[in-house]
Amino acid sequence: YLASYNPARQDQTFFMKAHERKRRKKGGGTAKGRPSKHRKIQRKLLGPQAFVMERMLAIFHAILPYPIAGGTGDLMSQIATLASSKMLVKTSAMADILDSGTKWRINIGWEYIQVIARTIGFEIEGFLAE
């Protein structure tokens, strides 16, 4: 869900560990008091965006509180299960569904994600872009 609804350019903001962050100042942005020329539409209303599996796995490892002992084999089988139950939908034409460059899109609504997050004790709201 996070990979499908957060823009990739904000991954560093949400998923880097505090000791790994580097503060950089960049120019740009909007001046205070001056309205933006573009209307901001909530990302939830735009619908899920496609993402590559490699990005989803990077986000998963970033939010995981402890490393996985058994490697990624079991994780790949869980991804295959999500795909077979149509919770995760493949959007690219690649033949191998577990290839790291395969594009995916989430097929679950916000309410269901909130229930899952509450069940496992994960504060998902803190990781979503506005």
Side-chain angles (χ1 to χ4, degrees):
Y1 191 87
L2 295 172
S4 204
Y5 279 93
N6 280 351
R9 69 182 189 283
Q10 291 185 345
D11 283 354
Q12 287 184 345
T13 305
F14 289 109
F15 306 116
M16 282 185 72
K17 305 285 187 223
H19 64 278
E20 295 173 352
R21 287 190 188 170
K22 294 180 183 178
R23 293 188 72 86
R24 285 192 318 189
K25 277 195 147 189
K26 284 187 162 184
T30 58
K32 253 189 175 175
R34 188 174 70 189
S36 177
K37 291 181 183 179
H38 303 286
R39 179 182 291 163
K40 296 242 179 190
I41 299 173
Q42 288 183 351
R43 294 197 64 86
K44 288 181 198 171
L45 298 177
L46 293 175
Q49 304 298 313
F51 57 88
V52 292
M53 182 184 294
E54 188 175 326
R55 179 172 173 238
M56 179 181 65
L57 292 174
I59 290 172
F60 177 74
H61 287 294
I63 63 176
L64 199 63
Y66 51 88
I68 297 175
T72 59
D74 189 42
L75 187 58
M76 292 300 184
S77 68
Q78 295 298 321
I79 291 171
T81 302
L82 289 172
S84 68
S85 64
K86 303 293 185 202
M87 292 181 174
L88 201 57
V89 180
K90 187 172 80 158
T91 61
S92 63
M94 293 186 131
D96 185 15
I97 64 168
L98 296 179
D99 184 35
S100 64
T102 305
K103 288 200 173 197
W104 296 89
R105 185 175 32 86
I106 191 75
N107 198 24
I108 302 173
W110 171 242
E111 292 80 20
Y112 191 69
I113 292 296
Q114 283 181 313
V115 170
I116 293 171
R118 269 189 297 235
T119 302
I120 62 172
F122 179 68
E123 295 292 327
I124 193 166
E125 291 85 5
F127 291 96
L128 282 173
E130 293 295 319

